[in-house]
């Protein structure tokens, strides 16, 4: 089994973290680990993570000094995973929108030949549950916008992924400055530009039951201007 590290970014996930870590423990392949990346959550999520890491040898914690956005947290987490022996690096949200039981399906897609597997709501067999009309429109709209301007991917903004190590090593992580969802778009776009094989694995996405969404207007605006910006940079050969 290739060594798998699941990167789990958290900001105020006190109600969800312990349950998520234990659920991941139930599905991780032999030798797998979980890396919690906490941005000094005011609700004490970081202390819960430390307690879990002290109890469970397959849990690590990366504490960051403050909230600088999901993209930054992931870049730090990926670097940490790559400094170790990770052969597969996964991303998953801590709010149970992504079902930890789907982790083996993402890993299987990579073992069957993909370099990057995306958990996808918008391919046959995938979907969203209990999301309001606005969130559905926004998410669908972002994926269509990205499909038209950038790349043939059905679900471009999802945060449930499995990268083969070589993808992360070659996409120049340190030059990605995306803070919000566009981070997901940019990493997939760079992987495709690098000639890597990307596949979409259908998932059912459910809205969080506990804790608060960190989605904001700034995150949406960043995606609106950065998608054409990525297209332009690719055209100019700067990506
Ligand atoms: N470390 C860190 N984690 C973050 C940050 N922003 C969000 N997260 C985590 O990233 C994951 C996704 O964030 P959510 O709050 O669910 O936001 P979202 O999924 O974009 O929005 P919803 O779909 O409304 O839930 C969760 O595990 C959050 O705790 C951040 O700035 N730093
Ligand atoms: Mg969420």
């Amino acid at each position: 089994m290739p060594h798998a590290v699941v990167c789990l970014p958290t900001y105020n996930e006190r109600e969800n973290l312990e349950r998520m870590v234990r659920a991941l423990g139930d599905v991780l392949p032999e030798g797998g680990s979980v890396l919690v990346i906490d941005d000094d959550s005011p609700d004490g999520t970081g202390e819960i993570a430390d307690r879990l890491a002290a109890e469970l040898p397959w849990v690590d914690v990366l504490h960051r000094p403050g909230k600088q956005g999901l993209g930054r947290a992931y870049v730090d987490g990926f670097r940490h995973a790559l400094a170790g022996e990770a052969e597969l690096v996964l991303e998953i949200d801590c709010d149970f929108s992504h079902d930890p039981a789907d982790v083996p399906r993402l890993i299987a897609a990579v073992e069957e030949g993909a370099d990057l597997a995306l958990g996808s709501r918008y391919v046959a067999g995938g979907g969203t549950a209990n999301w309001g009309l606005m969130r559905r429109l926004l998410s669908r709209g972002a994926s269509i916008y990205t499909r038209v301007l950038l790349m043939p991917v059905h679900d471009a903004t999802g945060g449930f992924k499995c990268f083969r190590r070589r993808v992360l090593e070659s996409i120049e992580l340190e030059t990605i400055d995306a803070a919000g969802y566009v981070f997901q778009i940019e990493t997939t776009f760079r992987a495709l530009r690098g000639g890597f094989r990307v596949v979409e694995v259908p998932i059912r996405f459910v809205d969080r039951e506990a804790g608060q969404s960190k989605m904001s207007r700034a995150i949406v605006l960043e995606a609106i201007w950065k998608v054409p910006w990525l297209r332009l940079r690719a055209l100019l050969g700067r990506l």
Side-chain angles (χ1 to χ4, degrees):
M1 261 300 170
H3 186 81
V5 176
V6 179
C7 294
L8 183 62
T10 57
Y11 193 75
N12 289 346
E13 298 289 0
R14 184 166 48 113
E15 298 102 319
N16 293 314
L17 179 63
E18 178 158 5
R19 199 158 63 90
M20 176 53 80
V21 166
R22 293 191 190 279
L24 286 169
D26 291 341
V27 298
L28 271 182
E30 189 70 31
S33 60
V34 172
L35 175 64
V36 179
I37 309 150
D38 186 69
D39 281 4
D40 197 23
S41 298
D43 76 346
T45 300
E47 286 90 78
I48 298 173
D50 285 336
R51 171 171 60 73
L52 290 167
E55 182 200 337
L56 306 166
W58 43 273
V59 176
D60 286 315
V61 191
L62 191 61
H63 291 283
R64 289 164 33 89
K67 183 164 163 52
Q68 292 157 32
L70 192 54
R72 307 295 163 81
Y74 268 129
V75 169
D76 261 16
F78 291 167
R79 277 209 207 100
H80 192 92
L82 294 176
E85 282 172 4
E87 187 47 43
L88 304 177
V89 180
L90 291 98
E91 309 178 356
I92 189 169
D93 287 359
C94 192
D95 56 3
F96 286 91
S97 286
H98 305 136
D99 185 348
D102 287 333
V103 162
R105 293 173 54 233
L106 283 194
I107 292 179
V110 171
E111 292 195 312
E112 283 159 19
D115 295 302
L116 167 57
L118 310 176
S120 179
R121 295 160 284 193
Y122 308 130
V123 292
T128 54
N130 61 0
W131 241 8
L133 180 65
M134 275 317 283
R135 280 310 299 267
R136 289 212 306 274
L137 283 177
L138 192 61
S139 172
R140 265 315 246 269
S143 279
I144 293 168
Y145 184 64
T146 307
R147 213 173 139 75
V148 170
L149 285 175
L150 223 48
M151 57 187 176
V153 166
H154 297 84
D155 186 348
T157 56
F160 192 20
K161 300 184 171 187
C162 179
F163 295 89
R164 219 178 250 290
R165 177 185 193 94
R166 61 177 181 236
V167 177
L168 295 178
E169 282 175 342
S170 79
I171 63 174
E172 297 178 28
L173 284 172
E174 55 296 337
T175 64
I176 301 184
D177 61 1
Y181 287 133
V182 79
F183 176 78
Q184 308 298 357
I185 298 174
E186 185 159 358
T187 49
T188 299
F189 184 54
R190 288 184 182 213
L192 284 169
R193 300 267 309 163
F196 292 108
R197 185 156 173 247
V198 178
V199 301
E200 294 187 82
V201 175
I203 56 156
R204 248 179 93 70
F205 178 102
V206 294
D207 198 9
R208 65 160 72 237
E209 281 172 11
Q212 300 248 312
S213 170
K214 278 106 222 170
M215 172 68 172
S216 69
R217 188 179 306 224
I219 286 176
V220 177
L221 288 175
E222 184 192 28
I224 291 175
W225 73 262
K226 271 227 170 119
V227 167
W229 173 239
L230 286 172
R231 169 47 66 219
L232 186 67
R233 285 184 52 198
L235 281 174
L236 297 173
R238 298 271 177 78
L239 205 70

